[in-house]
Amino acid sequence: MTSAKTFPASAAPKFASIGSPYFGIMLACMAVVLILSNIGASKGVAIGPIITDGGFFLFPLAYILGDVISEVYGFKVARKAIITTFALSVFASLCYWVIIALPGFDDEFGASKQAALEGALGPVPQIVLASLLAFFAGQTINSWILVRMKARTGEKSLWARIMGSSVAGEFVDTLIFCSIAASVIGITDFGTFVNYVLVGFLYKTLVEFLFVPVTALAIGWIKKREPSYGAPTAAVTNVA
C-alpha cells in the first residue's frame, strides 16, 4: 500500500481538493470521450498509407483531461478518475450487450436495424477490453510520472511534465490497445500491425504536444479558480 509522501512546506507540490464543480465536469467529459472512442475504435480507418481506427480523433482528449486532473488535483484524485471512467465504460459495454440481446421486430426493418446494431456495437466488448486495459495502464503511468515530476520541480516546468508523461503513457496505452484490438478491426499481418501501433502512438503524442499550450492555459485557469489549490492538506495527501 502506497503511503503519502511528506515534503517541507516550501517544497511541497501544490494540489487542490475536489470540493468545487470543476473536477466533476472534467470527469464526466473524460468518461464520455472514452465511451465514444470505444465505439469509434470498432471501425478500421485507412487514410492513404495510414492505418488507424474511428476513435483516433477523440482519444487524445481523454489524456489531455487526465493531465489537467493530475496536475491540479494530484495522483490520488487522478486514480479515482481513471477507475470511475473504467467502471462507466464497462457499464456502457454491458448496456450494448443487453440492447443487442433484446428481441427486436421480426420484419425487414427490424432485421436490418438488428444487423446494424450488431455490426456497430457487436465488436465493442473486445474493443472495450483493449481500451480499458490500455487506458488504465497508460493513464496511471501518465499521471504518476507527471505528479512525480511535479514533486521535484514544483510549479516550474509544466510543459516538460505534460510532454514527458504523455510520451510514456501514450506508448503503453497504444501498444496494449493495438495488441488486443487489431484483430477486431481486421488487422492480421505484422506489417500492418506495426503501422497501426506507430501511427497511433505518433498521432496521439503529436496531438498532445500540439495542445500543450491549451492544456497549460486550462490548468492555469482552473488553478486560479480552485479555492483549495495549494492548501497544505491537499499538497501532502494527493501526491500518491
Side-chain angles (χ1 to χ4, degrees), residues 16 52 59-60 67 73 76 103 112 135 144 172 180:
T52 182
F59 197 74
D67 285 340
Y73 301 98
K76 290 180 68 176
S112 65
F135 176 81
W144 186 85
V172 171
I180 299 173

Side-chain angles (χ1 to χ4, degrees), residues 8-93:
S10 61
K14 296 179 181 179
F15 296 107
S17 61
I18 54 176
S20 77
Y22 299 113
F23 171 74
I25 293 170
M26 288 187 288
L27 174 60
C29 291
M30 182 185 291
V32 170
V33 166
L34 182 61
I35 290 169
L36 292 177
S37 297
N38 291 340
I39 297 173
S42 64
K43 176 180 178 178
V45 173
I47 305 174
I50 297 174
I51 304 297
T52 182
D53 58 64
F56 77 96
F57 66 97
L58 277 170
F59 197 74
L61 296 177
Y63 268 79
I64 292 170
L65 289 166
D67 285 340
V68 177
I69 291 173
S70 299
E71 173 69 22
V72 176
Y73 301 98
F75 182 70
K76 290 180 68 176
V77 174
R79 186 169 55 196
K80 291 179 182 178
I82 294 166
I83 293 172
T84 302
T85 302
F86 184 102
L88 290 172
S89 295
V90 170
F91 175 70
S93 184

Side-chain angles (χ1 to χ4, degrees), residues 74-118:
F75 182 70
K76 290 180 68 176
V77 174
R79 186 169 55 196
K80 291 179 182 178
I82 294 166
I83 293 172
T84 302
T85 302
F86 184 102
L88 290 172
S89 295
V90 170
F91 175 70
S93 184
L94 292 174
C95 288
Y96 304 148
W97 178 79
V98 171
I99 291 168
I100 291 172
L102 288 171
F105 297 151
D106 56 5
D107 58 7
E108 183 178 349
F109 178 77
S112 65
K113 293 294 289 183
Q114 178 69 17
L117 281 171
E118 291 177 357

Side-chain angles (χ1 to χ4, degrees), residues 159-180:
W159 285 37
R161 289 198 294 277
I162 295 173
M163 296 171 74
S165 62
S166 296
V167 170
E170 291 289 11
F171 178 75
V172 171
D173 182 294
T174 305
L175 183 61
I176 293 175
F177 178 82
C178 293
S179 297
I180 299 173

